[in-house]
Amino acid sequence: MTAPKVTLFWFRRDLRLEDNVGLFHALQSPFPVIPIFIFDEAILNSLPKNDARVGFIHESLSKINTQLLEIGSTLLIKKGTTYKVWQSLLQEFDVQEVYFNKDYEPYAIQRDLEISALLQSNNSSAHSFKDQVVFEEKEITKADGLPYTVYTPYKNKWLEKYKTMAPIPEYDTAAHFSNFYKSNFPFPSLAEIGFEESPIKVKPHNLTKITNYHETRDFPAIDSTSYLSPHLRFGTVSIRKLVNWAVRKNDVFLSELIWREFFMQIVFSFPKVMTQNFKSAYDGIQWRNNENDFKRWCTGTTGYPMVDAGMRQLNETGYMHNRVRMVVASFLCKHLLIQWQWGEAYFAEKLLDYELSANVGNWQWAAGTGCDAAPYFRVFNPDIQLKKFDEKGIYIRKWIPEFDLGYGQPMVEHAMARDRAIATYKAGILK
């Protein structure tokens, strides 16, 4: 029996049916649409079997599958190396068209080029769309067409362009749900994918807490966090809806969303920053990179309460408050003189909201080696940060229960560490 001609929509970092650009266009194809997701072994094989992010992806896909069942369709889930999975899909179905939303990280760009070439060689057309950002890599540039490397002028240009199209149109995918392929594909359990439940869970997002974001965002004891970041990372929320909302509600929160796009275009335009300093003049810094010091930082036993509370929160929950992230990152790079790549890799392993561009960008900001970074001589004093932003010690007592029982001494004295860091940077910065 001849297989029916179909269109495939490939979910990746856009795990929702609503306001999904690529899916909206796929559903207007002349062929019925099979939605698919591929658990990529090139990524999965480096993760622990109880990785909470894989669990969240599986949970998000299950929600999509439940929605699809209501209209007589299902998700097709595959696992393997992406190229081989696509080879088998092209043999299994008469694939006329494939739709997906763009991903701007180097691995994803190379992967999509290879898959698009494979599709073309099989007489299938590939269609990609902008979905995870408001403005992609070459839409916000300087007058000469070059990318911005300083945030404020980038932000100003971003806002100027947004005003010409506000509010950003959202995509009514539900109007075309009738074009989903009628199917009953089995939905695999987490165990069938080779993973197990994690005690760490992604929290539901809550936009109501953002109204006073500008007043509360620096105080980790106040539970004013939206918990949006993992949802943005995996696309369970629409960036268009978020931006349209933030424009009306809170300019400071909007600025954070723009920072996200700024760092994405930095990685796209300067891919070396994934592993190297944006400012090559900093390549001569002689880092101490003491492994025992790094272990104490990782385990939250440095003797500095705000640093230790932050690291324990990260290890136990996969989250860390943004103000605290700055303090712990500065401490690693400046107080301990451990290069930012060590911290970036640890955060990549632990953060539920890990996003390569933001993680690299913020770590290089803290280290002073990135674009538009904090100056190298800016060294956060963890004790002053504690007094300013957790004066009553509510946050630190939550994560350091032994704090009032005679907490340990700091592993390094602040004034000495600050002077050592500034001297090391001065000596290492290439003229």
Side-chain angles (χ1 to χ4, degrees), residues 219-235:
F219 299 94
I222 302 173
D223 187 17
S224 62
T225 303
S226 68
Y227 299 108
L228 267 169
S229 51
H231 297 275
L232 266 174
R233 167 65 180 85
F234 295 105

Side-chain angles (χ1 to χ4, degrees), residues 382-395:
D383 290 331
I384 291 177
Q385 292 289 309
L386 178 63
K387 289 175 184 175
K388 286 178 67 175
F389 301 113
D390 190 34
E391 186 178 10
K392 296 180 180 179
I394 297 171
Y395 173 75

Side-chain angles (χ1 to χ4, degrees), residues 236-247:
T236 60
V237 294
S238 158
I239 186 62
R240 290 170 294 284
K241 288 186 177 180
L242 280 180
V243 166
N244 286 336
W245 183 91
V247 166

